[in-house]
Amino acid sequence: MEVSKDSIEALVKMMKEEMLLDIDPYSFVSPSAYDTAWLAMVPADSNQPCSMEPMFRVCLDWVLKNQTQEGFWGECDAHGNPTLESLPATLASVIALKKWNVGKENAEKGLAFIRANAEYLLAGHQNQFPRWFAIVFPGMIELARKTGLDLDFPHHLKGLLMDIFFEREQILESDKELAAGGAYPSLLSYLEVLPSLYAANEQEIMKNLSGDGSLFQSPSATACAFMATGNKDCLAYLQSLIEKCGNNGVPPTYPMDEELIKLGLANQLERLGLAEHFTQQIEEILTQVYQTYTKESSSEKSNSVASVATQLQKDSLAFRLLRMHGYSISPWSLCWFLNDDEIVDHIEKNQEFFSSVMLNVYRATDVMFSGEYELEEARSFSRKVVEKVVSKGTGSDNDVFTKSSAFQRMMEEELSLPWVARLDHLEHRAWIEQNEMNALWPGKTSFHRYKYSAIAT
């Protein structure tokens, strides 16, 4: 069907009004059903866990209103099909409903979805599950059973479930050793699903609270920490989160880097071929980001391996977009990580987890100038990481895009076809088709993604 110029202009105007005027970056990021359900479990009186009222009723209401027609909660792919993340998210939502004795039909529908789809979703990963899933899913199964829910998995699926439980034990033992040495990721970021053998005591929880009162900026872990300790700082963090995001469901991480969200939005508009309609808005975003980068030195970058993925995701997007728009920006705004042997070693040991981040670093080095040797080093390093991931396939424990043929193709195309040899309209078409892969940055239990209504596809 032919679309008139007036219709296109009307759509663009509507998008600008809805998306880019008085922008709230949080409104662009998909809420986490898993984390929202955990906040819905918090009782109104922390001194009485059996209280019959939730503290955050708005989260419980969100759970009641945001179940899909198929019966699940959580992430779906670009075609609306449930993903692996929907299993723990649906369990968490059903547990929240059961705890407060509401939404009986919703809960039954959610359990029916799990029974009907668990085998398909689990078997599709051929015993190779993302690291987060192997930790979270068994914990949610145990909690569901303690809550009195009858999961009633098919008998022939029990062997696979036992394998996942065994994989969890291996990961937890390994992570316990890493945490003892101060390495990421900390077991406490999964506090809400840790078995009793690994559960932290109150002293350990308090020692690891961030300045904002959270455990690793994780709403679910912090909700669990508050229920365990009644700590006022945890409560203040949760209340701040609800005030900011409660009505729309809480994000998987809080607070989020708002500049990263805006950079991702500008990147989406350009990769989709819509930049010509949003020139002023993109320029405003880049001007603001450029001011940040000119004030910040490489020594001020976070040296915590826990935040490296997020920081590099932001730096690679900023570097590429700023240079593409004519800004003068130092190579060290991107290459700073090469000077930290601990971070380089961490990336090399966790190649699959960093695969999407390293792909973005590699893309950013497309716009280097002659003689920028640090960018050449970053390009060589990131390419080697991506090549190793491609050679293994994407079926790794640490890969959020486990067994994703779309992401595999994306990496292969980036490595095989030089940027200057590509055709814009074909690049735009490919970006639309690979939409479910175009996430913001890795979170604890999934990627931070844009709402489909906010990315103009």
Side-chain angles (χ1 to χ4, degrees):
M1 185 178 74
E2 186 175 343
V3 181
S4 69
K5 182 180 178 180
D6 290 342
S7 297
I8 294 174
E9 290 177 349
L11 288 171
V12 169
K13 181 180 179 181
M14 180 180 68
M15 288 169 59
K16 288 180 179 179
E17 291 174 350
E18 293 182 355
M19 295 170 58
L20 296 170
L21 293 178
D22 298 322
I23 181 174
D24 176 9
Y26 285 83
S27 67
F28 292 106
V29 179
S30 293
S32 167
Y34 175 82
D35 290 272
T36 305
W38 267 102
L39 265 72
M41 297 181 208
V42 177
D45 188 344
S46 61
N47 295 319
Q48 296 183 13
C50 295
S51 167
M52 295 306 294
E53 291 293 331
M55 177 173 287
F56 304 119
R57 180 75 199 195
V58 66
C59 291
L60 185 62
D61 290 341
W62 186 94
V63 171
L64 285 166
K65 295 174 182 177
N66 284 273
Q67 185 178 27
T68 66
Q69 291 184 348
E70 294 79 5
F72 69 90
W73 285 265
E75 289 289 337
C76 57
D77 63 20
H79 306 290
N81 300 316
T83 64
L84 196 64
E85 189 267 344
S86 66
L87 291 176
T90 299
L91 276 177
S93 299
V94 171
I95 291 169
L97 297 178
K98 172 74 173 178
K99 181 170 184 175
W100 305 117
N101 195 29
V102 297
K104 183 177 180 181
E105 292 184 3
N106 301 76
E108 290 177 351
K109 191 174 181 180
L111 290 174
F113 167 82
I114 292 173
R115 297 185 191 111
N117 293 276
E119 181 177 5
Y120 166 75
L121 291 170
L122 295 174
H125 290 261
Q126 300 179 356
N127 298 344
Q128 293 178 318
F129 297 96
R131 175 186 171 284
W132 68 264
F133 183 83
I135 298 174
V136 171
F137 189 52
M140 294 311 300
I141 290 177
E142 291 171 339
L143 182 58
R145 288 170 175 165
K146 288 180 182 178
T147 309
L149 293 171
D150 181 14
L151 299 180
D152 193 25
F153 289 109
H155 181 75
H156 61 273
L157 195 58
K158 293 181 179 179
L160 179 55
L161 292 174
M162 289 179 63
D163 290 340
I164 299 175
F165 273 79
F166 177 71
E167 186 176 344
R168 177 183 69 167
E169 294 305 311
Q170 290 183 309
I171 293 173
L172 292 180
E173 281 297 324
S174 174
D175 279 14
K176 194 173 184 179
E177 296 176 5
L178 288 171
Y184 172 76
S186 169
L187 290 177
L188 280 179
S189 63
Y190 294 95
L191 178 66
E192 76 277 7
V193 289
L194 291 182
S196 57
L197 180 63
Y198 299 89
N201 57 40
E202 183 173 344
Q203 183 179 1
E204 188 176 359
I205 293 173
M206 299 296 293
K207 183 177 68 175
N208 284 276
L209 286 182
S210 302
D212 59 10
S214 73
L215 269 181
F216 305 97
Q217 286 73 52
S218 168
S220 51
T222 308
C224 182
F226 173 67
M227 287 188 281
T229 67
N231 180 265
K232 293 181 179 179
D233 291 335
C234 290
L235 176 59
Y237 168 86
L238 296 173
Q239 290 173 333
S240 172
L241 169 60
I242 292 299
E243 184 178 351
K244 180 73 175 180
C245 310
N247 290 329
N248 298 313
V250 305
T253 299
Y254 180 83
M256 295 186 292
D257 188 323
E258 297 188 13
E259 279 194 350
L260 174 53
I261 298 173
K262 292 181 179 180
L263 277 169
L265 179 60
N267 183 60
Q268 287 281 23
L269 291 171
E270 294 211 341
R271 298 302 293 263
L272 291 168
L274 299 172
E276 64 181 287
H277 301 293
F278 297 88
T279 303
Q280 179 183 344
Q281 288 74 22
I282 292 174
E283 194 62 35
E284 289 173 356
I285 290 173
L286 295 182
T287 298
Q288 176 185 341
V289 171
Y290 182 68
Q291 291 173 352
T292 299
Y293 274 81
T294 53
K295 295 176 182 177
E296 183 181 59
S297 67
S298 59
S299 62
E300 294 174 324
K301 301 287 186 181
S302 172
N303 59 2
S304 167
V305 289
S307 59
V308 168
T310 302
Q311 186 66 56
L312 280 177
Q313 188 83 346
K314 178 181 179 180
D315 291 343
S316 57
L317 279 177
F319 184 82
R320 182 183 178 95
L321 286 169
L322 288 171
R323 281 216 165 172
M324 290 287 290
H325 284 258
Y327 289 87
S328 175
I329 182 168
S330 168
W332 286 113
S333 65
L334 173 64
C335 303
W336 57 271
F337 71 98
L338 295 172
N339 288 334
D340 191 316
D341 293 338
E342 182 185 2
I343 290 176
V344 170
D345 182 64
H346 184 67
I347 294 173
E348 290 176 334
K349 289 180 178 177
N350 298 274
Q351 293 170 350
E352 289 81 7
F353 179 81
F354 280 92
S355 57
S356 63
V357 177
M358 286 294 101
L359 184 62
N360 272 298
V361 171
Y362 182 75
R363 283 171 172 163
T365 61
D366 283 336
V367 290
M368 68 178 170
F369 300 125
S370 176
E372 293 184 322
Y373 302 112
E374 55 272 74
L375 283 172
E376 292 178 3
E377 184 180 353
R379 186 173 183 84
S380 176
F381 178 80
S382 58
R383 183 180 178 93
K384 286 179 181 177
V385 171
V386 176
E387 284 177 339
K388 287 180 180 179
V389 175
V390 169
S391 67
K392 294 177 184 177
T394 54
S396 166
D397 295 343
N398 290 331
D399 184 11
V400 182
F401 292 141
T402 300
K403 304 303 289 180
S404 167
S405 58
F407 186 57
Q408 181 83 359
R409 288 195 305 272
M410 182 187 293
M411 291 189 294
E412 291 171 349
E413 289 170 3
E414 286 290 337
L415 296 176
S416 63
L417 187 61
W419 171 56
V420 293
R422 300 174 191 172
L423 299 176
D424 286 345
H425 66 284
L426 293 180
E427 286 286 285
H428 300 156
R429 171 75 177 267
W431 194 254
I432 293 171
E433 293 174 347
Q434 296 165 344
N435 182 55
E436 65 266 31
M437 294 295 102
N438 303 327
L440 278 166
W441 70 90
K444 188 177 80 173
T445 60
S446 65
F447 262 80
H448 297 66
R449 301 182 187 279
Y450 284 112
K451 295 178 182 176
Y452 290 125
S453 59
I455 54 180
T457 54

